[in-house]
Amino acid sequence: MSTDVANPDHLLRLAGRVSRYAWRLPEPPAHADDIVTQHIEDRIASLGDLLTSLAYELSYRRGEAARFPHRHTQVHRRGTAALARAARPIGHALADLGAVVEQLGFLHEISEYTPTAEHADAIRSAREVMGDHLDSARSHLDAAAQQLTQDARRLLDPPGDRGLKRCAASSQTPAAASRPTAAPRSPSQTR
């Protein structure tokens, strides 16, 4: 990838690309042999390549900062961090597409079964699960595109404390963010 992470236009182009991936996700298929299977494969390949590129860019920029600290400015660091922040929702979208593949495999498995009411219910249920995961993948990709757009607009702003707070908050896992904190223990309880 190795791009100009200090250029807001780069982040905006990437946001547009991620957004296009979101709206190109298909609707759930009725059968595993539908053309949708190929579309899902294409989206997984595209998102996997994008996630790999984001990881490469982070690695490249960290190495560049170590070798040439005078050329790696605060704007470069913020641009690199913006790319890295996009990795989580893109990874979640990939996980959702993995669940769609699982359901497509299930539809393939039952495609030779004798049609019964139970069979029809299983197909309907698999389509609902795929629909939920496709909607979730779209939401994750939309979130990544929105974050990249916001980061592009703020990229050239002067740094401040808000950036540190935003970064720390975005790095919490959903489970950690919602986890209750433990009550303080009295000295008598620690013995």
Side-chain angles (χ1 to χ4, degrees), residues 2-41:
S2 187
T3 58
D4 186 6
V5 295
N7 185 344
D9 288 340
H10 170 67
L11 296 179
L12 291 172
R13 281 191 303 274
L14 185 58
R17 183 174 156 197
V18 171
S19 187
R20 280 190 302 280
Y21 289 154
W23 61 260
R24 287 182 179 164
L25 287 175
E27 293 302 314
H31 305 287
D33 58 352
D34 283 342
I35 193 75
V36 171
T37 305
Q38 182 63 44
H39 290 300
I40 296 294
E41 179 188 347

Side-chain angles (χ1 to χ4, degrees), residues 5 9 16-17 37-38 56 65 77 92 96 100 116 121 133 136 142 161 168-169 172 187 189:
V5 295
D9 288 340
R17 183 174 156 197
T37 305
Q38 182 63 44
Y56 168 79
R77 290 179 187 283
H92 285 301
D96 280 318
V100 170
T116 63
D121 286 344
H133 283 287
S136 178
D142 286 341
D161 290 342
Q172 282 191 347
Q189 290 175 318

Side-chain angles (χ1 to χ4, degrees), residues 44 101 139 148:
I44 289 172
V101 169
S139 293
L148 284 164

